[in-house]
Amino acid sequence: MSRSRAAARARWARGLPALLALALPPGLAWAETPMDRHLPVALTQTAPPLDPLDPAWDAAPATTIGLFPQATAPDGPGGAVLDLEARLLWGDGRLALRLAWPDATADLVDTRATHRFADAAAVQLAPAAPTLPYVGMGEPGRPVAIWLWRAGGGAEGLSAQGFGSLTNDPGSQPEAKARRTATGWALVLRGPFSPEVAALAVAAWNGSEDGRAGRKRLSAWRRLESPGAEAGGDLSAEAETAGDPARGEQLFARHGCGACHGPDASQGPKLTHAGGIHWPGYLRRAIAEPEAFRVPGFTAVMPALPLSREDTDDLVAYLMSLR
Amino acid sequence: MTQLGMVIDLNKCIGCQTCTLACKSQWTDRGGREFMYWNHVETVPGQGYPRGWQVAGGGWEGERLRPGRLPRLEEDYGIPADFNFDAALFQQGDRPLRPLDAMQWGPNWEEDQGAGDFPNGYFFYLPRLCNHCTRPACLAACPRQAIYKREEDGIVLIDQERCRGYRYCVAACPYKKIYFNPLAGRSEKCIFCYPRLERGVPQACAYQCVGRARHVAYLDDPEGAVHQLVEVWQVALPLHAEYGTQPNVYYVPPLSPPAFDPEGRPTGEPRIPEDYLRQLFGPGVDAALATLQAEIAKKEAGGESALMDLLIAYRHGDMFRLSRPGEARS
C-alpha cells in the first residue's frame, strides 16, 4: 500500500465521527484520486436515493470501471472494453450504486417473445477476508452475494459459491430503478449493506447480443474504500502486483502458457483480458493450484509449475497488464 | 440406466390430434404455455413446428454441440390467437368465427399440404414429442446442470428451481422440443407424463391415441413392444438419428400406395419417395419397409404374423408395459 493511501485510510478512520456530525451535503466525495482496483464509497446521513436522476448523486464521486468481455465463456461477447461509471452512496444501513453505461438499444423483458434477451446488470459483493473469492460467481467456501437487475423485470438478490451454483436469496433482494440516458442506461441498485463487504464487481449483459449467463462484460474486483474495508481483512497482500511484467512475459513464453491460453488456442480459458477481469491474488492462487479453479468446459490439464515466489510475482504482473 | 421408450406406428396415425389435445389440456393450457405443444402432429414434408426446426441446428457434431438457433414466438411457433366468440356466436349478424390476431404460423400449419404433383402427391403425419434422448444435447448445453435424466426410466426433466431461462437447451435440442416460457422466464418440456407413469397410467398422448399407434415399454424389456419392434423386428426407427442424441421415441415408417406413371399406370414405386424417408429415418428404413410388406403379405394370405399382431394391438392394454424389467407387473 502506498504511503498516501495509508495516510488517507488513517484520516478516514479518525475523521469519521467528525464528518458524520458535519452538515455536509448529503454525499461526501472521497478526497483521494481513485486508483485502479479501488472504489470510493461516499457517506450520506440519509437513505441514498433510488432515482438515478436524484441530484444527491452529484455528490458521490464518479469512478470509471472497465467492463471486459467474458473471454472464458465459449460464447463470450467479444468486442472492446465498455466503460461504466459507478457512484456509491452508503447511509441508513443501505448501499446504493448508481451505474451508468452505454447500450444503444433498450432491450426489456418481453413476455411475448421466446428468442429475445433483456439488458441486465449485476453487482457482486464479497465479504471481507484475507482472500477474495474468484470473480466468476465465487468459489466453494468463499460465497458472493449478487444483486441482479433485468431491464423491465426488476431486481433479485442471489448468492453463489462457484460456477453453476447461483441461488435465490430473497433476504438480500435489492431495490432497483433504471432510466434510459442519451447513450444507454442509468441504474440505481440499493440494498442492505453490511460493513463486512470488502469488494465489489460489476457485470452487464446486452440483450441485443443475446446476453445471458457468461455472455457478458465484467469488471475485476474493486476494493471498497469505506469504513467497511477498514474493518475487514487486509487485502493489500493479495492486491500486490509488484513483479516485473517484462520478465513475466518471458516466463509466459518460456513455459509455453500461450499454447493453451493464447488468443487462438482453445485448450484453456483465454487470458485476453486477464488484467481487466482478475484479481492478482486469484491469479497467484490459480498458478499455484490450477486444478482448484477449473472452468467448466475445459479439461483440468494445467500443471502446477515449479515457480519461485519472484517468478510468480512477475507472471502475475504480466497477466495483470493484459487488458 | 433403464430407458422407457415409445414406438409410434405412422401407418396408423390419422392426424386427428387427439394426442396433441390430451397433452395440451393436461399440461400446457395456461401460464405462458399456450403456444407450446409438448406433443404435436405435423404434416410432412413441410417446415413443421416450430417452423424450420429441421434446419435450426442443435444436436451433436461428434463430441461437440452443434450451434442452434432459438425459434421466435410469432413467426415460428405461432401465437395462440383469441377468437371473436362473442361477436360470432352471441351477437346479431352473420359474422363468421375468426381469430382476432393475424396468425403467421401454428402447429400443423401445413395440414395436408405435403409434396409432389398430381397424381403423385403425398404426405403423412409425424407426431413429435421430446425424445428423452440417451445423449441429450439439452442436458449437455445447460451451464447450470438444471437438466437431468432420471436413472430409473431415462426421462429427461428440467429442474424448474435451477433453470434461469438462458435457453442454451432450446438452441441445443435438434428437435426443438424444449420451449421457453416467456411469462415464467424458464424453459419447459415434455415430462413423459411421469406423474401418470408413477401411478401406473401411460402417457396421455399414448393412452388417448384413437388409432392405437403408440406403444410404451422399457427398451430392455424383452416382452415389451418397444424392444420387439426396435430390436427384434427392427421396424421402428429413430427420427434423424444423425443429430447424434440417440432419441428414444421410435417410428414405424409409413408404407404408401404406388406412384403412377404419365399414362396413369401404377409403377410399383412407393408414392412417398424412399429418399425422403431415408432422410428422416436413416438407411434402415428400406429393410423396415420390406419387413412390413412381407409380414402384411403373410397376413393377407391368411397366415400368421406376430409382427402384425403386435402392430394391430388387439388389446389396448397390451400396448403399455410400464413396469421395469424384472419388477413385478402391476
Side-chain angles (χ1 to χ4, degrees):
Chain A
M1 191 190 298
S2 70
R3 284 179 62 90
S4 65
R5 179 157 299 281
R9 286 189 161 211
R11 220 164 43 232
W12 172 273
R14 269 199 314 276
L16 188 58
L19 284 172
L20 284 169
L22 282 174
L24 283 174
L28 165 71
W30 181 249
E32 201 179 36
T33 311
M35 269 178 58
D36 199 15
R37 295 196 288 284
H38 286 79
L39 195 55
V41 182
L43 282 171
T44 65
Q45 296 170 58
T46 53
L50 188 59
D51 190 334
L53 299 183
D54 194 299
W57 285 110
D58 296 339
T63 309
T64 300
I65 299 181
L67 298 187
F68 292 83
Q70 167 67 283
T72 304
D75 73 334
V81 60
L82 194 77
D83 279 341
L84 173 140
E85 186 208 84
R87 295 169 190 261
L88 280 72
L89 283 172
W90 178 30
D92 194 28
R94 283 179 289 178
L95 177 73
L97 302 97
R98 184 189 190 277
L99 309 175
W101 70 100
D103 183 336
T105 51
D107 300 296
L108 307 183
V109 168
D110 184 349
T111 55
R112 281 182 68 84
T114 50
H115 67 294
R116 293 208 180 90
F117 294 87
D119 295 332
V123 172
Q124 186 177 259
L125 308 163
T131 302
L132 274 184
Y134 175 56
V135 73
M137 296 282 173
E139 53 191 85
R142 291 199 175 94
V144 292
I146 293 161
W147 295 346
L148 171 69
W149 162 84
R150 264 197 210 98
E156 357 171 31
L158 302 153
S159 66
Q161 289 198 50
F163 293 114
S165 71
L166 194 64
T167 315
N168 281 314
D169 184 6
S172 74
Q173 186 173 339
E175 301 162 279
K177 186 168 177 63
R179 289 188 183 268
R180 283 298 287 175
T181 63
T183 55
W185 289 106
L187 163 73
V188 171
L189 279 167
R190 183 174 72 182
F193 181 69
S194 106
E196 291 303 303
V197 173
L200 180 154
V202 185
W205 292 261
N206 185 346
S208 299
E209 54 183 31
D210 293 347
R212 81 277 206 192
R215 199 168 171 78
K216 64 171 180 272
R217 292 179 176 79
L218 74 160
S219 78
W221 285 120
R222 296 275 182 145
R223 298 162 67 184
L224 294 183
E225 284 293 326
S226 74
E230 298 294 322
D234 185 4
L235 289 166
S236 50
E238 272 226 316
E240 191 60 63
T241 53
D244 173 3
R247 193 170 163 270
E249 186 171 8
Q250 291 166 10
L251 286 165
F252 191 85
R254 191 190 310 154
H255 289 286
C257 307
C260 290
H261 294 292
D264 301 318
S266 59
Q267 289 90 336
K270 290 193 194 343
L271 297 172
T272 320
H273 304 297
I277 292 172
H278 293 304
W279 173 248
Y282 159 73
L283 290 173
R284 225 172 256 116
R285 289 194 292 141
I287 291 167
E289 253 192 297
E291 72 281 4
F293 297 97
R294 193 176 69 81
V295 176
F298 297 100
T299 320
V301 292
M302 178 167 156
L305 300 170
L307 297 170
S308 68
R309 170 89 202 248
E310 190 197 353
D311 287 350
T312 303
D313 285 347
D314 293 345
L315 207 43
V316 168
Y318 166 64
L319 292 173
M320 287 307 294
S321 75
L322 298 175
R323 297 290 169 100
Chain B
M1 180 182 292
T2 48
Q3 178 70 51
L4 195 65
M6 185 183 283
V7 169
I8 306 178
D9 186 349
L10 298 182
N11 293 296
K12 296 178 83 178
C13 177
I14 57 171
C16 67
Q17 308 285 356
T18 304
C19 51
T20 309
L21 268 293
C23 174
K24 187 142 210 47
S25 57
Q26 185 117 60
W27 301 118
T28 62
D29 64 345
R30 68 191 78 177
R33 303 175 187 91
E34 292 82 352
F35 77 95
M36 293 182 198
Y37 289 84
W38 290 356
N39 176 99
H40 77 284
V41 183
E42 59 192 50
T43 301
V44 292
Q47 294 186 74
Y49 165 89
R51 170 152 59 181
W53 66 271
Q54 287 169 106
V55 291
W60 294 93
E61 230 163 34
E63 295 303 306
R64 279 182 174 273
L65 289 169
R66 197 161 61 110
R69 64 165 192 265
L70 298 176
R72 300 158 298 178
L73 181 55
E74 294 194 12
E75 298 91 331
D76 301 325
Y77 294 112
I79 46 167
D82 281 328
F83 283 73
N84 59 339
F85 290 113
D86 191 59
L89 303 178
F90 301 108
Q91 309 279 319
Q92 292 291 327
D94 53 2
R95 258 172 296 190
L97 189 64
R98 290 283 183 271
L100 293 170
D101 307 289
M103 294 182 69
Q104 300 177 46
W105 202 253
N108 204 20
W109 188 258
E110 305 149 295
E111 175 147 19
D112 296 2
Q113 281 181 17
D117 295 321
F118 180 84
N120 290 322
Y122 64 94
F123 68 79
F124 61 94
Y125 300 113
L126 185 67
R128 301 208 302 114
L129 63 156
C130 170
N131 287 295
H132 297 279
C133 301
T134 298
R135 207 177 159 226
C138 58
L139 187 152
C142 179
R144 287 180 53 73
Q145 294 86 46
I147 304 186
Y148 60 103
K149 188 168 172 66
R150 303 211 303 186
E151 194 64 35
E152 61 268 38
D153 48 24
I155 294 177
V156 176
L157 295 174
I158 301 174
D159 181 342
Q160 292 294 302
E161 299 284 308
R162 289 198 59 75
C163 177
R164 289 193 58 84
Y166 296 154
R167 287 166 264 177
Y168 291 109
C169 57
V170 179
C173 173
Y175 302 95
K176 291 298 169 273
K177 273 295 173 184
I178 296 188
Y179 302 86
F180 176 68
N181 181 333
L183 218 53
R186 290 184 287 269
S187 297
E188 303 176 1
K189 64 180 284 298
C190 159
I191 57 174
F192 229 28
C193 283
Y194 77 84
R196 290 170 62 108
L197 294 173
E198 287 172 0
R199 309 179 82 172
V201 183
Q203 292 90 343
C205 59
Y207 204 55
Q208 303 292 334
C209 177
V210 297
R212 297 195 183 184
R214 299 200 189 205
H215 305 258
V216 180
Y218 283 87
L219 270 162
D220 57 347
D221 176 359
E223 289 171 44
V226 175
H227 179 85
Q228 289 287 322
L229 296 169
V230 173
E231 304 290 345
V232 179
W233 290 98
Q234 299 183 3
V235 292
L237 306 161
L239 176 63
H240 285 304
E242 76 278 8
Y243 293 164
T245 62
Q246 299 175 20
N248 289 305
V249 173
Y250 297 82
Y251 296 89
V252 178
L255 294 158
S256 52
F260 296 104
D261 70 12
E263 279 73 48
R265 288 180 303 246
T267 59
E269 290 294 307
R271 190 94 55 89
I272 303 173
E274 288 164 318
D275 263 353
Y276 179 62
L277 292 179
R278 283 183 209 116
Q279 271 177 42
L280 295 183
F281 304 113
V285 77
D286 299 274
L289 291 171
T291 303
L292 289 170
Q293 270 163 335
E295 294 298 311
I296 289 170
K298 281 188 200 166
K299 200 82 171 170
E300 280 175 345
E304 293 288 318
S305 166
L307 175 59
M308 284 301 112
D309 290 349
L310 193 58
L311 289 172
I312 288 166
Y314 289 103
R315 276 168 39 90
H316 188 239
D318 289 347
M319 302 179 76
F320 316 108
R321 280 172 63 91
L322 305 181
S323 304
R324 278 184 287 282
E327 263 186 12
R329 302 268 292 142
S330 54

